[in-house]
Amino acid sequence: MPNPFSLEGRTAVITGASRGLGYAIAHALGTAGATVAINARNPDQIEAACSDLARDGIQAHALPFEVADGAAGQAAIDRFHDETGRLDIFVHNAGHGMRVPFLEHGFEAWQSTLDVHLSAGFRLAQAAAKHMDAAGKGRIIFTSSIMASTGRATVPAYAAAKGGLNALTRSMATELGPKGMTVNAIAPGYIATELTRDLHESEFNAFVCRQTPVGRWGEPNEIGWAALYLASDAAAYVNGHVLTVDGGMTISLNG
Ligand code: GCO
């Protein structure tokens, strides 16, 4: 029986992949054999990521564009598909954190957060899905968050955007399932990355370790491996699911 977790011969586009969760997702998919396209805004950061991936034997292409620029993103996805002849996996991971109390939260900040996390996800996944529709198969994965299903102060736009991604996941899974595609999301808990460094180095660290049954922060690779599962043949019957990877934090009151 072939290895159901192998991605040999397949291609993947990952947005926001020059560092953090996106890089870990790209590394996991590449380690399983996929050729990965690394999207980010900064070409230098992309090149560095591609070099690191190549050092680990992973075929990586640079795919620089601003995810909020839908036309540029669609053109980049089309170009990658045409260059490689296929597009098997699309992961929308790009996003930024912004912690501002609701009563002080500017509308521009609200809009840009939804543009990057949610609207870009819609537009880029649609561009990818058109190629997958022609092939009769594909995997679409969104990086969501536990913030979509738990209330926390100062992240109203981020939480709303991630909640929208979860709803979009279910809607797309319903329409695209009959076309040979699955659509799922990953909801990370507190993972040690640059985006959460300030929390990790504050008193918040003790809260996370206390509130999380496994007693620690997650590692980016633990999100990468969850994405590998959802992208693989092993998850062919998982569709419309939000896979929470949080060490048990959101199911526990033990804090
Ligand atoms: C925060 C954090 C969270 C985490 C992550 C959890 O301010 O609570 O930035 O948003 O980064 O999204 O899934």
Side-chain angles (χ1 to χ4, degrees):
M1 179 181 177
N3 174 7
F5 295 97
S6 170
L7 300 180
E8 286 297 339
R10 301 188 194 174
T11 67
V13 169
I14 305 99
T15 66
S18 64
R19 58 184 179 166
L21 300 187
Y23 179 83
I25 292 170
H27 195 279
L29 302 184
T31 301
T35 295
V36 296
I38 303 301
N39 160 258
R41 284 179 295 185
N42 182 317
D44 294 339
Q45 288 177 357
I46 292 177
E47 286 309 322
C50 288
S51 300
D52 290 345
L53 291 166
R55 187 193 58 226
D56 290 349
I58 294 168
Q59 266 206 338
H61 293 232
L63 209 65
F65 62 87
E66 164 57 60
V67 292
D69 180 347
Q74 182 173 333
I77 287 170
D78 291 347
R79 188 168 62 250
F80 177 69
H81 171 270
D82 296 346
E83 284 170 2
T84 59
R86 57 190 298 163
L87 177 56
D88 300 285
I89 303 156
F90 173 71
V91 182
H92 181 53
N93 169 79
H96 52 270
M98 191 178 295
R99 300 186 199 106
V100 178
F102 173 75
L103 290 176
E104 300 158 31
H105 205 293
F107 183 73
E108 296 70 25
W110 162 273
Q111 191 63 59
S112 73
T113 301
L114 268 72
D115 286 349
V116 168
H117 290 267
L118 182 56
S119 300
F122 164 79
R123 190 157 179 183
L124 297 173
Q126 186 184 60
K130 287 178 179 176
H131 293 296
M132 296 172 179
D133 186 23
K137 59 182 177 180
R139 291 281 190 277
I140 295 172
I141 301 168
F142 294 114
T143 298
S144 180
S145 166
I146 57 170
M147 294 296 108
S149 54
T150 55
R152 167 164 144 74
T154 75
V155 287
Y158 182 94
K162 295 304 193 181
L165 278 181
N166 289 359
L168 179 61
T169 294
R170 290 184 284 268
S171 176
M172 286 173 60
T174 302
E175 279 199 57
L176 301 181
K179 299 174 181 292
M181 293 172 244
T182 66
V183 184
N184 295 290
I186 298 171
Y190 285 93
I191 313 297
T193 67
E194 277 308 305
L195 276 188
T196 57
R197 177 186 296 276
D198 54 343
L199 295 175
H200 203 240
E201 293 173 354
S202 72
E203 69 284 351
F204 196 81
N205 176 48
F207 163 73
V208 170
C209 294
R210 190 174 62 247
Q211 178 62 33
T212 306
V214 299
R216 63 176 174 85
W217 289 65
E219 292 298 326
N221 284 343
E222 293 172 308
I223 303 302
W225 296 326
L228 168 54
Y229 168 65
L230 292 174
S232 73
D233 294 339
Y237 204 54
V238 180
N239 188 29
H241 185 62
V242 178
L243 176 58
T244 298
V245 184
D246 70 349
M249 173 184 258
T250 50
I251 54 86
S252 168
L253 287 176
N254 74 332

